[in-house]
Structures are given as C-alpha cells and as structure tokens.
Amino acid sequence: MPTTLGYAAHSHDTPLVPYSFERREPLDNDVQIEILYCGVCHSDIHQVHNEWGSSTFPMVPGHEIVGKVTKVGAQVTRFKVGDNVGVGCMVGSCGVCPECQEGVEQYCNAAEFTYNSADKISGGNNYGGYAKQIIVNQNFVLQISDKLDLAASAPLLCAGITTYSPLRHWKIGQGDKVGIVGLGGLGHMGIKFAHALGAHVVLFTTSPGKAEDAKRLGADEVVVSKNADEMAKHAGSFNFILNTVAVPHNLDAFTALLKRDGTLCLVGVPDQPHPSPTVGSLIFKRRAIAGSLIGGIKETQEMLDFCAEHNITSDVEIIPMQAINEAYDRVLKSDVKYRFVIDLATL
Ligand code: NAP
Ligand code: ZN
C-alpha cells in the first residue's frame, strides 16, 4: 500500500496535524497523482468541525486538488504520466442510476466523496487533498489545460464548478441581472462566471471593504446587504441570485429582490436552518428557492475548458501546509482574498 504524508484532523475541536496514512494499491483503472496544490474550501471547515454531523476521524480534508500524473493503471486510456490533472469533490458513484447516466453523478445516492466518505474498493476511508499524493479512478479525474496556472486552478474543482453549474442550469446570459451573495471562495468565482456569461452582476456583501475587488472581478454593482435602503433600490429586479453564505440568515431579504419567476439558488450549507422564508414573498411573484450541489464530471470538464478559453482562474493566497489552522481562522472571519491554496511542496 502506498504510504502518503498529509495533514489530518483527529477530532472536531483540535488543530490539524501531520499524519501518515495508506492509500489503496492503484488498480487497472486508477490514476496516481502527485498533489501540487489543494484549495481550502469552507466545506473543509464545516466537516473538520463536524458541523454537518457526519464527520469521521481521522479526516484528511481537501477536494480542490491539482497535480501531475505519476502512474497509470493498465486500463487507463485518458491520462498519461506528466499530465496536469484535477480531482474535485467526488471520486466515485454507482454508474447505473439515472443521475449517473445523465452525467449528474453528484446527485447519485451512492456518490463517493473525496474525503469523509467510505472507499468502496478498499473498505477504508477516503482521504482528501491535504496530502502528497492521491489515487483516483480515471472517470473522476479532470484534464487541466497547460494554459492555466495550476495553483490558481485548484479552486475551480469545487468553488468553480459549484458556481458554474447553477449559472448554466438556469441558463444565465446576456440580458440577465444576477446577484451573488457573499464574496468568498465561491462568491468570487460566481462573479467571474456570471460576468463571462454576459450577465449584469451585482455583489451582495457584508464587507464594504471588498467593493473595489468585486468590481475588478467583474461585478457591475456592489450592495452592502445590511443596508436596507440600498437593498430596496433593487426590489423585484433580479432574474437569479446565487447565495454562497455559510451561516443562517433571512432569505426574504433576497427573494424580495427577484422578478416574477426569479430564482434564489442556495449553495452555502450552514450548520443550522435558515429562518423559514415567508410564503407571501414567493407566491405573489411565483418566485422559487432552489439548491445546487457541485456539478457532474462532464460539466466540470466543460467548466475547466471554459476557463482555459476565457482565461479564468481563482484569486488565491498560497500558503504552506503548516499554516492551515491560521487559514481556517481567517476564512471564518471572511478574511480571505479569495481562496487559500496549500502548496504541498512545503509538506
Ligand atoms: P467563504 O470563502 O467563507 O465565503 C463565504 C462568504 O459569505 C464570506 O466571504 C462572506 O462574504 C459571507 N459571509 C460570511 N459570514 C456572513 C454572515 N454572517 N452574513 C452574511 N454573509 C456572510 O466560503 P466558501 O468556501 O465560498 O463556501 C461557502 C458555503 O458554500 C459553505 O457553506 C460551503 O460549505 C458551501 N459549499 C457548498 C457547495 C455545494 O455544492 N452546494 C460546494 C462548496 C461549498 P462577504 O464578506 O462578502 O459578506
Ligand atoms: Zn468545496
């Protein structure tokens, strides 16, 4: 079994520390990857802190993985040694249910996640990308164009696809007015994609100091969401609002900004429910509240190709592995510009 060095959480209230563990022996369909960079998603923090109630320890987080192929199994046809590749939130699914058949494996009941999920082949635990190497079935490995900076591409594997997928599903394009709520890892990618798709983009933020950055990233307007007067100016005007906030808050403030038939799509996953929406805020304009989970493998590849074509990557702060606990503290204070990415060469 290949031994790998990484960083793990051993409980919900202790810092991450160095950890050696074993990956499964590579199979005929597996790709072995030397991990060069891994993004730090707010979901890593929710899971390390067991805020979703399903954490198993030790846990090696990390699902925004990029690196180079170091070995391929006998039946691997799509990758060769030396390729730049990525791995996102999923490493397996049943392959036969309607969701898998339609290329939306993220909605498969048997979807296997990159960490904090059982490895169906070895029976052990899956360990994520805060580590030197990973072994993944070729069907869940993504190609990354040589045109893209690798470190700045890591967050595309989760923050990128999680914002790209709903924007595409709701067919956002020219003529649409789109709101993005929260300027963090997901939010900054939401702005870039909505702008690239031709929409008029408005950022809703609790941090007035981020306004200038938001405009540089592609926002046409910035609204401080705690300012009721500023919010009221946009009442009934949005086709679509993508809400990335990781804490419970009043959703009515945003549904009120939708046009008739507009949609508020939630991608943030707080540990507690949002206060219930007011029914009146929905029915009088046939407004919808929806949710969306990452994206399928086919769409993730489409998103990475879109990024190569439009020269889109994340704005990242590269950190050594040893700085992970401080990085978590800063994410929790909304103080990240706009995604931390771990340089695994420091481990
Ligand atoms: P993040 O980098 O921490 O960004 C969240 C942003 O929310 C913050 O930067 C901040 O932006 C805003 N915010 C923070 N506290 C707030 C508060 N009290 N009220 C209002 N806004 C607040 O997190 P992320 O990595 O983008 O992840 C966001 C959420 O999406 C997490 O819950 C994560 O688990 C979830 N997620 C879901 C999926 C999915 O498939 N659905 C995938 C990945 C992540 P401002 O400073 O601009 O207000
Ligand atoms: Zn994530």
Side-chain angles (χ1 to χ4, degrees), residues 41-44 63-64 89 158-159 162 186 294 339:
C41 180
H42 202 122
S43 301
D44 300 345
H63 58 206
E64 294 184 338
C89 301
C158 175
T162 302
L186 267 56
I294 47 175
R339 195 61 137 187

